[in-house]
Amino acid sequence: MRRRESRIHKAARTAAFALLLSVSLTACQSGESQDAPGTEQTTEASDPEITSGENETEPTAGTTETVQEEETSDEAQMTQPEETTQEETDSDESETVTESSTDPAETLEPTDAPEPTQAPAPTETPAPTQAPESTEAPAPTEAPEAEGENQFLEGSLEEIMEAIYANVTSDLPMIANVEITAENAAYYLGTDEVEFEEAMASEAMIITTPYSVCLARLPEGADVEAAKEQIVQSVNPNKWICVGVEPRNVLVGSIDNMVLLVMTSEMSQEIMDAFLSLQEAGEQAEVLSQAVSPDDNGMLLYQGHAAMAPEEYNETSAIRLGEKIESIYETCLDGQTNVYYSVIPDKSFFIPNTILTTEDYFMMISTLQQTVEHAEYIPLIYELSLSDYYQTDLHWRQEELFGVVNVLGNAMGFEVEESDFSLNTLSPYRGVYASYMENAPGERMSYLVNRNTENAEVSIYEAGTYTGVYLLDQWETDVPYNLFLGGPNPLVEITNPDVDNGKELIIFGDSFMSSLAPLLTGVYEKITLIDLRFVMSAYLPELVEFNGQDVLFLYNTAVVNNSSMLK
């Protein structure tokens, strides 16, 4: 279309030019010969054949020829439809020229040349179609994560630790990452027997409270659960010496082959939850703790030991016991300075549990110290451990008590030599907790003998008098432990005819004192055991003559926490 318009426009210009040239020639001829008729001049000017032999017409012929050559050239270049259009245009141009030359009058008075046909306004060339904005190539579709995989584990230990902390809302201490190697693994993980590809500890830079978070990547195919068990049983929650964490705050969890150990005072569970929240696939593994929860029977089962789960710390009960001690002092011991008291940690204290914690134990002791004014406290906790107790019973082993005896002797002014005793053993022994245990072990029950234990005379209230502190006939009963002085009784008196030093001892206590007292028979002429669970304290002056004896109040934490049982 644009090409056709260009041809029309060009033809129009040619016609206009020819017309103007014709008018100009006519005017010139008119000036040279006034007698020549206008018609002939016009005809001569417009007919190339008539004027072809005259000099005046040569320019016209040349011009016309040029126009025709241009038209012919243009026509030759056009397509067939365009040639038809061009012929029509040429015909129009010829008609226009002829009309201008046939009227002599119009030629004598040249009319204004018709306004040249304006070339049609060129159609604006449309802006080139803009290339469509290149759309960003879509990101290649990521291959779907393989089912059962946790992609975050592919990151470095530092990146995983940062991801854990990103989910912790509590304020974290200033921490630094330390590489765990074969040389320091025992300090951080509690054992160097767990194989790992790499491991890192996140430790507090300034120790105000205990804080340790350890991350270990185990080899592919490793027994993760066995490794966790090894760590939770081996790690020392008191590795900082002066401070430590409760066993319930020692947690070991895992995702695939990544194991996390957390030991903090207050944030252990939150940090472990933050770690587990990163798990993308698979079933969540069990989180192990040094703290043991009671089973359906209310028992704590731990490393082959069984213990009754303790009750929560009862401050009122501790105060009541302190007041009981003060009451007896005022009634029977007024003015004496050789009065002492100790608390025997229940076996459950050494089984990390979720109920009665180390903190609770020390709060119990603190409460007693604030309540008891006229007796000296002797701590025993540092001389005992779980192995000092029977596996199937609540009581301590007599053969393991020399540490306790030495601590008591240092405070009370006596000394006992372990070498003075011989060890006798009975087996198998199954205590009161055996029925709660699956495949309860048959233990050995040992009792220590020497001349003093064999010669001592034992008087049991309303049960008679015996020679020797061990009643071996009790071994065949349902409670073999009762071979120690016959078991719980309101009043037991032990007299040693081979000791003549004027020293006597009164012990207020529970069944634990029955296995301790025989070890002291070489120190005192007379030892009196009083169990206030079975005798009213108001009746004491009627049963016992108080005359300045050494006095020891010795109770298990279970009694301290339930002191209302004391009469």
Side-chain angles (χ1 to χ4, degrees):
M1 182 64 183
R2 291 180 54 192
R3 183 176 179 183
R4 180 176 182 181
E5 290 175 351
S6 176
R7 298 296 184 193
I8 294 171
H9 180 57
K10 187 173 182 181
R13 285 186 299 164
T14 303
F17 176 80
L19 178 60
L20 290 174
L21 181 59
S22 174
V23 172
S24 298
L25 290 175
T26 302
C28 289
Q29 291 173 357
S30 194
E32 293 175 359
S33 178
Q34 299 296 327
D35 298 331
T39 303
E40 291 180 1
Q41 293 173 356
T42 303
T43 303
E44 291 175 1
S46 61
D47 189 350
E49 295 180 0
I50 296 174
T51 59
S52 61
E54 299 178 7
N55 293 333
E56 292 82 0
T57 58
E58 289 179 2
T60 304
T63 303
T64 304
E65 185 177 348
T66 302
V67 172
Q68 289 175 348
E69 288 176 358
E70 291 179 0
E71 290 176 359
T72 303
S73 175
D74 291 339
E75 290 176 288
Q77 297 176 15
M78 297 176 66
T79 60
Q80 185 61 38
E82 291 174 339
E83 287 177 0
T84 303
T85 304
Q86 184 64 46
E87 289 174 359
E88 293 174 356
T89 305
D90 293 343
S91 175
D92 292 340
E93 292 174 359
S94 300
E95 291 175 4
T96 304
V97 172
T98 302
E99 289 175 0
S100 301
S101 60
T102 55
D103 189 348
E106 291 178 0
T107 304
L108 294 174
E109 292 182 10
T111 58
D112 292 336
E115 294 182 3
T117 305
Q118 293 184 354
T123 305
E124 291 185 4
T125 303
T129 305
Q130 294 182 350
E133 294 182 2
S134 58
T135 54
E136 294 184 1
T141 304
E142 295 182 0
E145 295 179 2
E147 185 176 353
E149 293 185 357
N150 291 288
Q151 298 297 317
F152 82 95
L153 296 179
E154 297 178 0
S156 67
L157 296 185
E158 290 80 3
E159 291 171 339
I160 297 174
M161 191 69 76
E162 288 179 4
I164 294 171
Y165 286 150
N167 291 330
V168 176
T169 58
S170 298
D171 292 335
L172 295 168
M174 290 190 298
I175 54 179
N177 294 333
V178 180
E179 181 183 8
I180 299 177
T181 65
E183 288 71 27
N184 61 20
Y187 174 75
Y188 290 108
L189 302 177
T191 176
D192 55 10
E193 297 179 3
V194 173
E195 181 183 358
F196 53 84
E197 291 183 351
E198 56 178 341
M200 182 183 76
S202 180
E203 298 270 320
M205 297 178 69
I206 300 178
I207 301 296
T208 54
T209 58
Y211 184 95
S212 181
V213 180
C214 300
L215 192 61
R217 194 192 305 273
L218 306 189
E220 290 295 331
D223 189 340
V224 176
E225 292 305 313
K228 288 162 58 179
E229 191 70 36
Q230 179 73 31
I231 292 172
V232 79
Q233 291 184 12
S234 304
V235 70
N236 181 8
N238 300 298
K239 69 177 186 177
W240 300 274
I241 306 301
C242 295
V243 294
V245 302
E246 293 291 341
R248 62 183 173 183
N249 287 327
V250 178
L251 304 178
V252 181
S254 64
I255 300 176
D256 293 349
N257 66 328
M258 192 70 66
V259 175
L260 183 75
L261 163 65
V262 186
M263 293 194 299
T264 74
S265 296
E266 300 175 352
M267 293 186 291
S268 291
Q269 190 61 57
E270 183 180 4
I271 293 174
M272 181 58 67
D273 289 344
F275 170 64
L276 297 177
S277 70
L278 300 177
Q279 184 165 353
E280 300 163 334
E283 183 178 352
Q284 183 172 310
E286 180 184 5
V287 175
L288 305 183
S289 171
Q290 283 193 343
V292 180
S293 298
D295 66 9
D296 294 339
N297 296 314
M299 301 298 298
L300 300 175
L301 304 177
Y302 180 73
Q303 296 183 358
H305 284 261
M308 182 68 68
E311 298 177 359
E312 293 183 357
Y313 168 54
N314 187 340
E315 182 180 25
T316 300
S317 179
I319 293 173
R320 186 186 300 116
L321 175 60
E323 292 174 345
K324 173 67 72 175
I325 293 173
E326 284 296 301
S327 175
I328 293 173
Y329 178 86
E330 293 175 2
T331 302
C332 307
L333 310 172
D334 189 27
Q336 288 189 214
T337 58
N338 53 341
V339 181
Y340 310 90
Y341 72 98
S342 289
V343 176
I344 302 170
D346 184 77
K347 179 184 180 181
S348 62
F349 173 81
F350 299 101
I351 297 178
N353 64 86
T354 58
I355 305 171
L356 190 65
T357 66
T358 303
E359 182 179 356
D360 292 333
Y361 176 83
F362 286 111
M363 287 179 63
M364 180 184 291
I365 300 303
S366 177
T367 299
L368 287 173
Q369 289 177 320
Q370 293 175 34
T371 308
V372 178
E373 298 180 7
H374 297 94
E376 177 184 344
Y377 172 65
I378 304 175
L380 303 180
I381 186 173
Y382 304 109
E383 304 302 323
L384 293 167
S385 65
L386 183 60
S387 61
D388 296 329
Y389 295 75
Y390 292 107
Q391 291 178 268
T392 62
D393 197 76
L394 72 158
H395 294 102
W396 51 18
R397 296 175 176 272
Q398 186 189 53
E399 69 273 20
E400 301 296 339
L401 294 183
F402 285 99
V404 170
V405 169
N406 290 337
V407 169
L408 293 173
N410 291 337
M412 300 172 66
F414 63 77
E415 184 176 349
V416 175
E417 295 292 337
E418 184 176 1
S419 59
D420 291 341
F421 295 86
S422 298
L423 183 69
N424 289 348
T425 300
L426 299 171
S427 64
Y429 171 60
R430 291 182 174 84
V432 295
Y433 295 151
S435 60
Y436 298 100
M437 304 173 67
E438 184 177 355
N439 300 321
E443 303 182 78
R444 295 182 304 165
M445 175 175 281
S446 299
Y447 59 97
L448 298 169
V449 297
N450 62 12
R451 185 183 63 181
N452 296 314
T453 62
E454 292 177 345
N455 295 338
E457 296 181 358
V458 179
S459 175
I460 300 175
Y461 183 75
E462 293 186 348
T465 301
Y466 304 86
T467 299
V469 295
Y470 303 115
L471 282 64
L472 297 180
D473 60 341
Q474 295 294 316
W475 172 251
E476 302 297 335
T477 68
D478 293 338
V479 188
Y481 184 79
N482 286 347
L483 70 79
F484 296 103
L485 294 172
N489 286 285
L491 182 66
V492 177
E493 293 179 341
I494 306 170
T495 303
N496 186 355
D498 296 330
V499 175
D500 183 17
N501 58 10
K503 296 183 65 175
E504 295 186 17
L505 171 65
I506 297 176
I507 302 178
F508 290 88
D510 48 40
S511 57
F512 283 79
M513 63 183 173
S514 298
S515 55
L516 173 66
L519 303 181
L520 306 181
T521 53
V523 176
Y524 294 97
E525 284 187 20
K526 184 178 181 179
I527 301 173
T528 302
L529 309 181
I530 301 173
D531 194 334
L532 294 178
R533 294 176 297 173
F534 309 114
V535 58
M536 299 285 292
S537 56
Y539 190 56
L540 290 176
E542 305 296 327
L543 293 175
V544 180
E545 181 181 354
F546 294 95
N547 53 15
Q549 302 98 323
D550 288 348
V551 177
L552 173 64
F553 292 88
L554 182 66
Y555 288 106
N556 171 35
T557 53
V559 175
V560 179
N561 221 28
N562 293 276
S563 62
S564 57
M565 68 176 65
L566 303 179
K567 302 182 181 301

